[in-house]
Amino acid sequence: MGLDTINRFDRIVAILIQLQSKRIVKAQELADRFDVSLRTIYRDIRSLEASGVPISSEAGVGYSIMEGYRLPPVMFTREEAGSFVAAEKLMEKFTDTSLGSHHKSAMYKVKSVLRGKEKDWISTLEAQVLIDPSQTPFNENIPNALEILFESIADKTQVFLKYHSLNSEKPSDRFIEPVGLS
């Protein structure tokens, strides 16, 4: 994703927030704030309308959002939050201190919108997962193996696997309860 896309996304979110913070917002005011053309603002407003934001406009007056409309608070499923734990563990191993601290700050925000049960689920994962960058931990034929193991660790359930010992020609079937990942 290019910098232009990120900037456009940030600008559109900021436009939505500004529309929510004032009764009427003029296109020129938005263009001046974001240092873009009126045409860009018109396109961004159309994008917000296309995504379902009820915006009304009147020529010469400005834009407003339908009374009572608010962007709902951000909510994550536990699986989405779990994917952030994987990212957090990777960030700890593969990034510099500054970027890692920004990610840690973002994780506090993610956790702040989770319900109690999901917070516990995430805490369990964080305590039990360690990423070792020197090994490839999963079978390429099972692309969601990490998700399966994360759920099993957090839910304290068993998973089925075929275990292939170095001393055996044939794999054996096993049920295991993963308690951590490294």
Side-chain angles (χ1 to χ4, degrees):
M1 187 179 319
L3 188 58
D4 294 339
T5 305
I6 293 170
N7 288 339
R8 180 166 190 251
F9 176 77
D10 289 344
R11 184 179 62 246
I12 289 172
V13 170
I15 288 170
L16 176 59
I17 291 168
Q18 188 161 346
L19 286 169
Q20 289 181 326
S21 69
K22 293 176 81 176
R23 227 169 110 71
I24 295 176
V25 179
K26 295 182 184 252
Q28 189 62 56
E29 181 183 340
L30 294 169
D32 292 343
R33 176 180 174 196
F34 299 108
D35 196 28
V36 296
S37 68
L38 282 172
R39 184 176 176 195
T40 297
I41 295 300
Y42 299 149
R43 189 182 68 234
D44 291 346
I45 293 290
R46 281 194 307 272
S47 293
L48 284 168
E49 289 171 324
S51 69
V53 177
I55 298 174
S56 60
S57 62
E58 188 175 334
V61 177
Y63 295 104
S64 62
I65 292 184
M66 183 175 75
E67 189 67 34
Y69 178 83
R70 288 282 174 254
L71 185 65
V74 175
M75 294 299 291
F76 298 100
T77 65
R78 70 180 191 173
E79 292 80 12
E80 289 168 336
S83 73
F84 295 140
V85 170
E88 181 178 35
K89 296 300 181 175
L90 290 167
M91 294 289 284
E92 289 172 357
K93 294 290 181 190
F94 296 109
T95 63
D96 60 47
T97 308
S98 174
L99 191 56
S101 69
H102 294 311
H103 190 272
K104 188 174 285 293
S105 173
M107 281 300 295
Y108 284 118
K109 292 174 185 176
V110 168
K111 292 175 199 173
S112 75
V113 298
L114 296 174
R115 292 182 293 273
K117 188 175 179 182
E118 281 77 19
K119 286 179 186 181
D120 294 342
W121 197 85
I122 292 301
S123 292
T124 300
L125 282 180
E126 287 177 323
Q128 299 301 115
V129 174
L130 171 68
I131 302 291
D132 181 0
S134 66
Q135 298 178 353
T136 304
F138 303 110
N139 182 331
E140 295 169 357
N141 297 325
I142 307 171
N144 64 336
L146 187 58
E147 179 182 358
I148 292 167
L149 291 173
F150 270 25
E151 287 181 13
S152 177
I153 291 167
D155 294 338
K156 297 178 173 73
T157 59
Q158 293 184 343
V159 293
F160 172 80
L161 59 85
K162 290 200 176 281
Y163 178 77
H164 198 167
S165 166
L166 293 176
N167 302 331
S168 172
E169 299 251 343
K170 197 166 112 176
S172 61
D173 294 346
R174 301 212 179 161
F175 283 94
I176 64 163
E177 182 179 333
V179 294
L181 184 64
S182 65

